[in-house]
């Protein structure tokens, strides 16, 4: 259990002082005697235990209210894990050409890329992995995180069309990835750039972004997706539900992708089959790692409401007993 405002618990230290002051000052008597000793032999007068119980209930209610104000919470899913010491950002191309089905009917480039990337994420549970989506522009889909459930959810949401799909901004994608990884303190920083085209959009030339990656000691692994020559591109279904295709030229700018990888100490891969794509990620998966301990949190269960209700229950019990069973004469 933890507290959002633990310093409020210091008010507990005041309770004994307040109780002592209250006992010292006491309350004004309803009946005034010149001396209690005059009537003690006759009545057997002694302090009421009922009054002491009621007073203790009042102090207990106050203590519980202070506990509630400190905002107690249960941490669910807290764990100390070994992180790899590698931060990875994957830049995924969402341009329209990624609909091409190089890998068989129904196996588009984007579908296979997301499938293999999802398995790569599952195989590296202790890595901080981020996600950048790009086409005409580049956007952050997820910052580097150890919460891979969230990361997989963001990956599932990425579809062609969420960004203007009519251009490819490779330089902007790489620079956006660098901006998310440059301030992290781990030993190794890696960008995996996946594209099936050439840079024809954005304000940052790819080699300028590569120079920035080299200066920041970030390795860039580049992956060119698609077969050589042409690839079948879906253009729509006919009245019978049959998908029609047209051949589209494959325009992977291998020369630029190789230069980016060489300059940053990474490696260039050509993914022209499904098996090749999987082997690429298996190769990247063998990167050197340095373990560091990281505390990971899932979420909190807030206990303020439960504590407040408990304090109110004690307070109401004291009031009910004081007005019924142990009611005092005025």
């Amino acid at each position: 259990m933890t507290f959002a405002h633990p310093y409020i618990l210091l008010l507990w230290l005041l309770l004994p002082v307040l109780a002592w002051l209250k006992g010292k000052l006491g309350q004004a008597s309803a009946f005034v005697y010149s001396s209690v000793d005059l009537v003690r032999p006759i009545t057997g007068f002694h302090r009421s235990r009922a009054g002491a119980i009621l007073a203790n209930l009042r102090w207990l209610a106050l203590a519980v209210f202070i506990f509630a104000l400190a905002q107690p919470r249960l941490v669910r899913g807290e764990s100390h894990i070994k992180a790899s010491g590698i931060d990875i950002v994957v830049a995924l191309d969402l341009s329209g050409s990624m609909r091409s089905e190089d890998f068989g009917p129904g196996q588009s480039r984007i579908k296979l890329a997301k499938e293999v990337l999802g398995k790569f994420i599952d195989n590296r549970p202790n890595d901080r992995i981020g996600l950048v989506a790009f086409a005409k522009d580049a956007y952050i889909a997820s910052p580097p995180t150890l919460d891979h459930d969230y990361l997989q959810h963001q990956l599932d949401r990425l579809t062609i069309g969420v960004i203007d799909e009519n251009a490819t901004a490779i330089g902007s994608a790489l620079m956006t990835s660098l901006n998310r990884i440059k301030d992290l303190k781990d030993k190794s920083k890696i960008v995996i750039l996946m594209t099936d085209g050439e840079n024809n959009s954005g304000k940052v030339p790819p080699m300028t972004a590569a120079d920035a990656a080299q200066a920041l000691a970030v390795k860039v692994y580049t992956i060119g997706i698609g077969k050589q020559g042409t690839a079948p591109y879906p253009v729509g279904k006919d009245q019978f539900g049959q998908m029609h295709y047209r051949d589209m030229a494959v325009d992977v700018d291998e020369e630029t992708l190789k230069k980016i990888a060489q300059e940053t100490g990474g490696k260039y891969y050509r993914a022209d089959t499904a098996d090749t794509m999987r082997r690429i990620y298996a190769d990247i998966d063998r990167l050197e790692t340095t373990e560091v301990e990281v505390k990971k949190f899932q979420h909190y269960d807030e206990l303020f409401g439960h504590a407040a209700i408990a304090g109110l229950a004690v307070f109401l019990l004291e009031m009910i007993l004081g007005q019924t069973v142990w009611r005092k004469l005025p």
Side-chain angles (χ1 to χ4, degrees):
M1 180 184 294
T2 61
F3 295 89
H5 311 292
Y7 53 87
I8 291 180
L9 296 177
L10 293 174
L11 294 176
W12 277 347
L13 300 177
L14 296 177
L15 296 183
V17 177
L18 294 175
W20 179 80
L21 288 175
K22 182 174 175 61
K24 196 76 172 176
L25 296 176
Q27 295 180 347
S29 300
F31 300 95
V32 180
Y33 297 92
S34 59
S35 174
V36 175
D37 291 334
L38 296 176
V39 297
R40 189 184 301 276
I42 302 173
T43 62
F45 179 84
H46 58 84
R47 184 178 178 181
S48 169
R49 291 190 62 192
I53 292 174
L54 292 176
N56 288 336
L57 286 175
R58 180 70 59 88
W59 291 116
L60 176 61
L62 187 56
V64 175
F65 283 138
I66 291 173
F67 179 79
L69 288 174
Q71 199 172 339
R73 49 176 56 167
L74 289 176
V75 182
R76 296 181 61 84
E78 178 182 346
S79 59
H80 294 269
I81 65 174
K82 294 292 183 180
S84 70
I86 286 186
D87 290 314
I88 302 172
V89 173
V90 181
L92 180 61
D93 191 345
L94 292 183
S95 58
S97 57
M98 289 288 284
R99 291 192 180 94
S100 298
E101 298 182 2
D102 302 57
F103 309 108
Q107 283 293 323
S108 65
R109 296 171 184 172
I110 187 62
K111 180 179 179 181
L112 183 62
K114 289 174 62 175
E115 175 190 324
V116 176
L117 176 55
K119 292 179 180 178
F120 176 77
I121 292 171
D122 286 338
N123 288 337
R124 300 188 71 91
N126 299 333
D127 288 334
R128 277 178 286 264
I129 302 177
L131 189 59
V132 167
F134 71 97
K136 185 176 181 180
D137 301 293
Y139 297 94
I140 299 166
S142 171
T145 179
L146 284 167
D147 188 351
H148 288 184
D149 289 336
Y150 168 79
L151 183 62
Q152 294 279 19
H153 176 68
Q154 294 302 99
L155 177 62
D156 289 341
R157 292 178 59 191
L158 293 183
T159 57
I160 296 174
V162 296
I163 306 171
D164 188 339
E165 63 184 76
N166 297 312
T168 305
I170 293 175
S172 296
L174 181 51
M175 190 59 71
T176 302
S177 301
L178 294 176
N179 286 335
R180 295 309 305 169
I181 207 172
K182 64 181 182 179
D183 295 327
L184 301 177
K185 304 299 183 183
D186 279 338
K187 179 179 178 180
S188 299
K189 301 173 186 178
I190 295 167
V191 172
I192 301 174
L193 177 66
M194 306 173 64
T195 182
D196 68 342
E198 55 186 359
N199 188 76
N200 53 20
S201 181
K203 297 180 179 179
V204 182
M207 294 314 300
T208 300
D211 291 339
Q214 183 186 38
L216 294 169
V218 177
K219 288 182 180 180
V220 182
Y221 288 80
T222 54
I223 302 175
I225 305 174
K227 295 181 177 181
Q228 302 283 357
T230 61
Y233 182 86
V235 293
K237 295 181 179 180
D238 60 22
Q239 58 184 342
F240 302 106
Q242 189 73 26
M243 180 63 73
H244 287 263
Y245 299 86
R246 64 179 171 85
D247 287 337
M248 174 180 284
V250 178
D251 296 321
V252 178
D253 187 355
E254 287 194 293
E255 183 179 353
T256 298
L257 295 179
K258 287 177 181 177
K259 286 181 180 179
I260 292 172
Q262 275 183 339
E263 185 166 332
T264 60
K267 189 175 179 180
Y268 170 71
Y269 300 91
R270 183 61 184 261
D272 53 5
T273 67
D275 288 340
T276 303
M277 177 86 80
R278 296 184 181 96
R279 285 199 299 270
I280 289 169
Y281 275 102
D283 188 39
I284 296 174
D285 198 37
R286 289 190 289 269
L287 293 168
E288 180 181 354
T289 62
T290 302
E291 287 193 342
V292 293
E293 189 172 84
V294 176
K295 183 180 284 188
K296 180 180 178 182
F297 298 93
Q298 295 293 336
H299 63 274
Y300 294 110
D301 281 343
E302 298 289 349
L303 301 180
F304 170 81
H306 301 288
I309 291 173
L312 184 61
V314 175
F315 180 70
L316 290 175
L317 177 63
E318 184 267 338
M319 289 186 62
I320 292 170
L321 291 176
Q323 296 299 319
T324 56
V325 179
W326 292 327
R327 185 174 181 179
K328 296 177 290 185
L329 291 175

